[in-house]
Amino acid sequence: MRDSLLIKAAFSEETPRPPVWMMRQAGRFMKEYWDIKNKYSFLEMCKTPELAADVTMLPVDLLGIDGAILFSDILVTGEAMGGDLSFTQGVGPKFANPVRTKADIDALDTQVVHKLQYVADAIKVIQQRLNGSIPLIGFAGAPFTVMSYLVEGGSSKDFKLTKLMLHNEPEMAHQLLSKIATVTADYLNLQIAAGVNAVQIFDSWAQALAWDDYKEFSHRYITEIISKLNRKDIPVISFCKGSSVFAPLMAEAKPDVISIDWNVDLLDIKKRLPAGIAVQGNLDPHILYADKKVIKERIYRLFDRMKGEKGFIFNLGHGIMPDIPFDNVKYAVEIIKEY
C-alpha cells in the first residue's frame, strides 16, 4: 500500500496523477446503498462487519476510486462512552441523554475501545475484500464535533448549548473534550492495528468556532490525538469545515494531509503551509449537480491550478449530498482519471 497513489500523495511524494476519493462516497446518492439501507437500520449497518464491508465496497466497485473509506459514523465514540444514540430518517442522529452537567461528564466512560471491536472486525473483512487493490482509510470524529452532538443531543444550527459550555464552563468543556480525545486516540489506534492504511479526523463543525475558541477547544485536542497515533507508514489526514481559515493552525498538529473546504484557492493555501504537508480537496460538492461540461471544466481548472504540485489528493470540500446524480459522480471520477 505504501506504493499506492493515495499513500504516496499523502506523504507528498510524486504520483503520475492525483489520486481521487470523495467524502461520503458510499451513501444515499447510490441506488445500491438504498438496497441495503431499506433492509437494515443505519447502526445495524455500522455494527455488522459484513454489511459495513458491503457498503464500503460500493464506490470501489461502482466508481473505481483510489481509496476506500470505512463505512461507519463519527458518533460511535460518543455512543461507546455512554451516549444513547439513534438515527432517524430525515432527522439524523440523536443522543437521548445529552451531556449538560458535570455529573453527566463524570459518568462518561473512557475505557471503551473494546466496545468498538465491531469496527476492527469490519476493517479485517474489508481488507480481505480489497485484497491489496487500494488503501483503506479509517476515521474518527474530532472531539469538538463529537462534543457538539453530545451536548446538543443531536444536530444543531447554532451550537448554542455547546458554545455556552465553552464560554461559561470552560473547565467542564475541557474535561469533556479531554475524555473524548482519549477515546478517539485509542479508537484510531484500534483501526490502525486492525489494518487501515490511513486515517482521517473529521471536525465537521469547526467552522462554528472563533479563532481563539478553535485553538483552545479543538486544535489542542486534535494535536493531542495525532501525537498519540501509531502512525508509522500511516498518513494522518485532518479535515474540518473551516480549514480554509484554520489550515495554518491545523498544520501545527503535524498531520500529513490537510483536507480543505471549497472557500479558498487550493494552491494558495498549500503555499502557506509548511513543506511536506499535502492538501486534499477541494471541489465544491454542489458542482456535481451541474451539467457535465461544467463538472469537467471545474475539475480541469483545479487540476491546471495544482499542476506539478506534489502532495495533492482530489476530494470534495465536504461530502457528497444525498440527491446528487450518481452518473455525475461517476463522470467526475472518470474525468479525473483521464486528465
Side-chain angles (χ1 to χ4, degrees):
M1 277 307 120
R2 189 63 187 76
D3 284 336
S4 67
L5 284 177
L6 183 76
I7 305 298
K8 286 179 83 155
F11 285 131
S12 295
E13 294 167 14
E14 265 187 52
T15 53
R17 65 166 172 83
V20 51
W21 71 278
M22 298 184 194
M23 291 183 254
R24 285 205 287 260
Q25 64 187 13
R28 292 171 288 178
F29 72 102
M30 294 176 155
K31 181 190 87 62
E32 295 78 1
Y33 175 86
W34 284 106
D35 292 344
I36 301 171
K37 177 83 180 70
N38 287 333
K39 292 186 205 142
Y40 304 97
S41 74
F42 182 76
L43 279 172
E44 276 178 309
M45 289 159 68
C46 292
K47 292 183 179 184
T48 312
E50 292 292 336
L51 290 176
D54 288 345
V55 180
T56 300
M57 292 301 292
L58 288 174
V60 180
D61 298 332
L62 299 170
L63 295 172
I65 33 73
D66 296 312
I69 184 164
L70 169 70
F71 179 75
S72 185
D73 192 82
I74 59 170
L75 298 180
V76 295
T77 45
E79 183 188 43
M81 293 172 76
D84 179 4
L85 177 64
S86 62
F87 286 85
T88 313
Q89 195 80 35
V91 180
K94 283 266 176 259
F95 280 110
N97 54 343
V99 175
R100 309 248 167 102
T101 64
K102 176 122 180 40
D104 294 338
I105 298 169
D106 288 342
L108 293 172
D109 195 359
T110 54
Q111 300 301 307
V112 297
V113 80
H114 61 279
K115 293 186 188 170
L116 295 161
Q117 184 57 40
Y118 62 86
V119 176
D121 295 341
I123 288 164
K124 288 170 184 155
V125 176
I126 296 161
Q127 285 291 31
Q128 282 173 342
R129 296 208 201 166
L130 286 171
N131 196 21
S133 57
I134 54 170
L136 175 62
I137 304 160
F139 73 93
F144 169 73
T145 290
V146 175
M147 171 192 176
S148 77
Y149 284 97
L150 285 170
V151 172
E152 303 288 341
S155 305
S156 170
K157 287 208 164 34
D158 59 5
F159 306 98
K160 187 173 173 185
L161 296 168
T162 311
K163 287 183 157 192
L164 262 178
M165 189 186 287
L166 303 185
H167 300 144
N168 281 348
E169 310 279 356
E171 301 80 12
M172 248 167 61
H174 281 302
Q175 183 194 354
L176 175 53
L177 288 161
S178 180
K179 282 187 145 185
I180 300 168
T182 298
V183 171
T184 307
D186 288 348
Y187 176 49
L188 287 170
N189 280 327
L190 170 85
Q191 293 183 38
I192 291 168
V196 297
N197 307 107
V199 293
Q200 178 159 314
I201 298 169
F202 282 81
D203 206 355
S204 310
W205 303 126
Q207 91 275 22
L209 294 171
W211 180 271
D212 287 350
D213 289 338
Y214 175 76
K215 196 168 182 176
E216 182 178 350
F217 296 106
S218 176
H219 173 63
R220 170 177 164 180
Y221 294 98
I222 291 170
T223 305
E224 177 190 320
I225 290 164
I226 291 176
S227 74
K228 290 179 172 173
L229 297 181
N230 303 323
R231 61 192 288 199
K232 185 180 163 13
D233 292 333
I234 307 287
V236 177
I237 308 167
S238 182
F239 167 73
C240 76
K241 280 292 289 298
S243 50
S244 47
V245 174
F246 297 133
L249 191 53
M250 293 165 78
E252 292 176 16
K254 303 206 169 13
D256 298 290
V257 186
I258 297 179
S259 197
I260 306 285
D261 63 44
W262 65 86
N263 298 108
V264 73
D265 180 272
L266 196 57
L267 187 62
D268 287 350
I269 200 102
K270 189 171 195 304
K271 293 211 180 301
R272 287 168 50 203
L273 294 172
I277 292 193
V279 291
Q280 173 175 278
N282 71 336
L283 192 75
D284 177 352
H286 293 80
I287 298 284
L288 297 178
Y289 287 117
D291 295 338
K292 285 185 174 164
K293 69 175 196 305
V294 179
I295 295 171
K296 181 173 186 171
E297 191 265 319
R298 290 303 186 96
I299 289 171
Y300 271 44
R301 189 190 294 182
L302 177 59
F303 276 26
D304 288 346
R305 189 83 179 110
M306 296 303 290
K307 216 181 202 126
E309 285 293 317
K310 287 183 202 162
F312 167 43
I313 298 166
F314 178 91
N315 207 311
L316 306 174
H318 201 192
I320 297 175
M321 278 79 78
D323 58 344
I324 283 180
F326 174 81
D327 279 354
N328 288 10
V329 181
K330 189 161 176 56
Y331 177 73
V333 175
E334 285 164 5
I335 289 293
I336 290 156
K337 291 174 92 167
E338 75 179 32
Y339 174 83

